[in-house]
Amino acid sequence: MRIAFVGKGGSGKTTLSGLFARHLARSGAPVVAIDADINQHLGAALGLDEDELREVVPLNTGLAEIKEYLRGDNPRIPSVDAMVKTTPPGSGSRLLRLLGADPVHARHVREVAGVRLMTTGVFTEDDLGVACYHSKLGAVELYLNHLVDGPGEYAVVDMTAGADSFASGLFTRFDMTFLVAEPTRKGVSVYRQYKDHAAEFGVPLAVVGNKVAGEDDRLFLKEHIGEDLLACFGHSDWVRAREQGRHTGDLEPEHRLALGELRIAVDSRTKDWETFQRQAIEFHLRNAHAWANRSTGQDLSAQVDPDFRHGPAALPAHPEPGTHSAPVG
Ligand SMILES: Nc1ncnc2c1ncn2[C@@H]1O[C@H](COP(=O)(O)OP(=O)(O)OP(=O)(O)O)[C@@H](O)[C@H]1O
Ligand SMILES: [Mg+2]
């Protein structure tokens, strides 16, 4: 299952992504956490120090290798240069299993607190000025487009703030999107923006209140969000202590309960591989027309394999040696 955390800047996306990933990992589930935000803070939230963070190999430093691996011997993708961030898998492409023993996971995963962290990499001033930030998420999009994840396996993605997440098709690649909202007018205004986009594309969305200080706060959220309000987190002394470099005991029981509610919401989803692949193709075609055909000098709509059915059935019956799932632990 793929889970995105979105919301206003500073609302607590990174904090809750980290807590949720740890919560899942503690139960023994395989968990990949992906930092897909401009400000890369998920590693620190999970407990990596600066030296350890420097050792993580960001996905976007290995983009060419990732493309080379994923295109496999798909005849519709004759070279790495023809593979863009939205190129969907087709017959001959290599699919990924969550934490499979493939070169992508082998190179980019860093384990912390039982969670396997991957990062997109930092963004320099130049990147933000010239290249579009979303192009930096190309590796995440390719990863999710080629991933065959099952129930009980989780990819938790800490997304960028606000409505920026809609600029690419990435927001349609999730089984559940958690919108983190503080009990303020700004907090709920992001929800309204997101809700319309989500409805348009049939994206499952639930709101998680954060920094909810009492009953008035909860009622405020309930009034503005209604049914979509799934759970609320209050101020956590445990989170604050970690921010101060102190590591004390366990997360508060009420916050563990709230994390449990998030998990139930995710686990109650059924995977819809057909919609997923249809949307991947839709965004690929848009992307091809918008810039990618021009930029590659090719007609990228020819990459769409109409006979390809995504999902577990598309995995090879006999995986290549060494590509079975890596043991968790
Ligand atoms: N429930 C909480 N209890 C205590 N502190 C919290 C809680 N949620 C978030 N914080 C603190 O609030 C600050 C902002 O949280 P966080 O970095 O998770 O937000 P964000 O949405 O990821 O921000 P950005 O948009 O900058 O990425 C952090 O210092 C974090 O420790
Ligand atoms: Mg953040």
Side-chain angles (χ1 to χ4, degrees), residues 14-33:
T14 302
T15 302
L16 295 186
S17 304
L19 289 179
F20 190 52
R22 288 173 64 105
H23 175 79
L24 296 167
R26 263 176 82 136
S27 75
V31 183
V32 168

Side-chain angles (χ1 to χ4, degrees), residues 95 273-274 277 305-314:
L95 298 174
W273 290 103
E274 212 177 302
Q277 180 71 358
D305 177 350
D307 299 323
F308 179 75
R309 298 282 166 272
H310 208 324

Side-chain angles (χ1 to χ4, degrees), residues 204-218:
L205 177 71
V207 178
V208 179
N210 190 28
K211 309 184 191 177
V212 174
E215 195 53 16
D216 283 351
D217 278 359
R218 206 188 61 80

Side-chain angles (χ1 to χ4, degrees), residues 10 12-15 37 39 41 158-159:
K13 298 176 294 296
T14 302
T15 302
D37 194 2
N39 307 309
H41 294 313
D158 179 13
M159 296 276 280

